[in-house]
Amino acid sequence: MAITVLIADDQAMVRQGFGALLGAQTDISVVGDAPDGKVAVAEAKRLRPDVVLMDVRMPQMNGLDAARAILTANFDPPVRVLMLTTFDIDDYVYEALSIGASGFLLKDAPAEELVRAVRVVADGEALLAPTITRRLIADVTRRRNTVRAAPAPALGTLTPREREVLELVAKGLSNTEIAAALFVAEQTVKTHVSKVFSKLGLRDRAQAVVLAYESGLVVPG
């Protein structure tokens, strides 16, 4: 089945350009677009797309508030949000990941990176592998000097292997890459990731990254 996508951006040219690019892929279908955050929320509820490409800065309701409204609706199956911006470093990045957005992408990223991003997010993984995203997370964390460590008992419930997997997730590795690094089966990695999320009360990989940086488990840079 094709991955369904909703594009939310206040610039018509951006919506049309991204729509044409994604619509040309055999495995992706653009089901709608929205010129502001308020419409994006309404369309997400109506269309239930697999992925929403959400611009950070929009009228009526900004992308962060719109993303929060969509993600807290707890749709089943889930609607995943990929945040877009024109800025290298945006104050919304950290909070967007904290509320459960599945990734962050610059609007001037190469076409193939946008297509890949949609596929990665639709597959249930956070868009954390690209160097630019890791840098954004690290820079925002460093600038805010965020050291609100997760409660020691929470991280203490992880086995050494689960802790190792969490570190690799936070560094942006996919399940396939983690499996290769640890010389284990990908299904084994998926099991570890699931247990980590359950023990730490995490929704997804993006939140896992935020927690890893906040707790000091992974050091920016």
Side-chain angles (χ1 to χ4, degrees):
M1 295 179 63
I3 299 167
T4 55
V5 178
L6 169 67
I7 301 172
D9 194 289
D10 61 341
Q11 297 182 44
M13 289 183 65
V14 172
R15 298 197 304 273
Q16 292 167 7
F18 283 2
L21 173 63
L22 296 173
Q25 311 303 312
T26 58
D27 60 336
I28 298 176
S29 175
V30 178
V31 295
D33 61 35
D36 60 59
K38 194 169 184 179
V39 174
V41 173
E43 287 295 89
K45 291 180 178 179
R46 182 177 72 86
L47 299 170
R48 303 292 179 89
D50 297 312
V51 178
V52 178
L53 291 181
M54 183 77 74
D55 185 23
V56 168
R57 301 174 186 274
M58 291 188 293
Q60 301 298 323
M61 177 187 288
N62 66 49
L64 185 60
D65 289 338
R68 182 182 291 107
I70 292 171
L71 293 167
T72 56
N74 295 318
F75 295 124
D76 185 20
V79 174
R80 305 186 187 281
V81 178
L82 177 60
M83 305 300 296
L84 298 167
T85 189
T86 56
F87 304 98
D88 278 352
I89 299 295
D90 193 298
D91 287 338
Y92 287 134
V93 178
Y94 187 78
E95 189 172 355
L97 294 176
S98 297
I99 64 175
S102 293
F104 193 89
L105 191 68
L106 298 180
K107 286 185 180 180
D108 61 359
E112 61 272 16
E113 191 170 320
L114 172 62
V115 174
R116 175 185 173 279
V118 169
R119 290 172 178 153
V120 168
V121 169
D123 196 39
E125 295 193 33
L127 184 70
L128 302 172
T131 303
I132 184 66
T133 305
R134 290 200 299 269
R135 180 173 65 81
L136 284 166
I137 295 171
D139 284 353
V140 172
T141 305
R142 185 186 300 110
R143 287 192 306 129
R144 295 192 177 188
N145 194 27
T146 305
V147 290
R148 299 192 309 275
L155 288 178
T157 63
L158 303 181
T159 66
R161 176 62 89 183
E162 289 167 352
R163 192 183 182 94
E164 188 174 16
V165 168
L166 175 58
E167 289 181 22
L168 294 176
V169 166
K171 291 178 179 178
L173 275 66
S174 66
N175 287 344
T176 301
E177 292 168 333
I178 294 174
L182 300 181
F183 301 101
V184 298
E186 187 173 346
Q187 185 56 49
T188 300
V189 174
K190 290 181 179 179
T191 298
H192 285 316
V193 171
S194 178
K195 288 182 178 179
V196 168
F197 286 4
S198 177
K199 289 181 178 181
L200 300 182
L202 303 171
R203 277 196 305 264
D204 53 35
R205 298 171 84 92
Q207 286 194 328
V209 170
V210 171
L211 182 146
Y213 275 104
E214 286 185 340
S215 67
L217 184 64
V218 175
V219 180

